Amino acid sequence: MATQWDTRYGVPEYIFGTAPNQFLTEQAHWLQPGQSVLAVADGEGRNGVWLAQQGLRVHAIDSSRVAQDKARKLAAERGVTLDIECVDLLTWAWPKDHYDVIAAIFVQFVGPAERARQFAGIRQALKPGGLLIMQGYTPRQIEYKTGGPSAVENLYTEDLLRQAFGDWEILHLRAHDDVIDEGSHHAGLSALIDLVARKK
């Protein structure tokens, strides 16, 4: 998988742009300087860099060294530092009760079995009282073709996210259509789903 993403990221431009995800920025009121945050599949660093600019201690993981080289460059340009680690996201040993915040923005690169392991890792790694901020695509995104996976089984529904995180405090869960502009690979009318949940 890393080779596939290395190829995809191996172009001069930032394929998802350098601006942070809009939904993530809208959650700034939940964030406090000094908190530890895991940025899952942070790629070229747009979200991790923004989180660091808010004063958080960012651990950014991804499987593509090519993307992470671009993330380091972006962080240097913005005057922040990230703890960047190249990992296989399917086999990474998620720490226990470790992070105050986990940001999982468009991490829908796996099918149901691998997603169950990924969600279990997220549940394990977040501290009690910690916050999960997640945005993804719903199955209708297949019709829009404006970004995201082509496999419908990788996409999220409200029921799926409630099953995965419904025992936590759901602060926000909404499926909606909206226009996004995140580089050349996420652009146009999109079928989105947003989740903010606090671990009990």
Side-chain angles (χ1 to χ4, degrees):
M1 182 177 291
T3 302
Q4 169 194 342
W5 284 101
D6 283 350
T7 301
R8 198 172 183 191
Y9 286 124
V11 293
E13 71 269 15
Y14 283 70
I15 64 173
F16 297 111
T18 57
N21 172 262
Q22 181 178 337
F23 175 69
L24 178 62
T25 66
E26 290 169 355
Q27 310 317 309
H29 60 284
W30 298 110
L31 306 176
Q32 298 175 18
Q35 288 180 317
S36 62
V37 56
L38 177 68
V40 181
D42 197 46
E44 299 165 309
R46 64 192 180 103
N47 295 318
V49 165
W50 180 82
L51 288 162
Q53 289 176 309
Q54 310 315 301
L56 279 71
R57 295 178 289 112
V58 180
H59 183 195
I61 60 172
D62 200 272
S63 62
S64 171
R65 294 186 189 280
V66 172
Q68 291 182 324
D69 285 344
K70 295 164 85 171
R72 289 185 182 90
K73 179 182 177 185
L74 183 63
E77 289 174 354
R78 302 282 169 85
V80 296
T81 57
L82 309 178
D83 175 13
I84 294 176
E85 184 180 2
C86 189
V87 304
D88 182 338
L89 291 160
L90 300 182
T91 61
W92 187 56
W94 298 76
K96 184 172 176 59
D97 299 340
H98 192 74
Y99 301 101
D100 298 305
V101 180
I102 294 180
I105 305 297
F106 296 121
V107 297
Q108 296 167 288
F109 48 83
V110 292
E114 294 87 356
R115 179 175 61 232
R117 294 205 308 270
Q118 183 187 78
F119 283 1
I122 288 171
R123 292 176 60 88
Q124 174 175 298
L126 197 60
K127 293 178 182 177
L131 203 69
L132 170 63
I133 302 172
M134 176 179 284
Q135 184 172 64
Y137 291 115
T138 69
R140 195 166 58 256
Q141 180 64 13
I142 298 293
E143 303 170 23
Y144 292 153
K145 298 181 175 66
T146 52
S150 57
V152 68
E153 62 269 20
N154 290 22
L155 305 179
Y156 300 160
T157 63
E158 289 189 44
D159 284 346
L160 185 152
L161 294 181
R162 284 193 186 280
Q163 287 173 14
F165 301 105
D167 58 330
W168 292 4
E169 181 185 2
I170 302 294
L171 302 170
H172 176 87
L173 177 59
R174 184 170 77 103
H176 59 103
D177 287 3
D178 211 339
V179 174
I180 61 175
D181 181 14
E182 300 182 339
S184 60
H185 285 57
H186 281 177
L189 184 61
S190 303
L192 305 171
I193 188 164
D194 310 331
L195 172 68
V196 181
R198 189 180 304 281
K199 183 177 179 177
K200 293 184 178 179

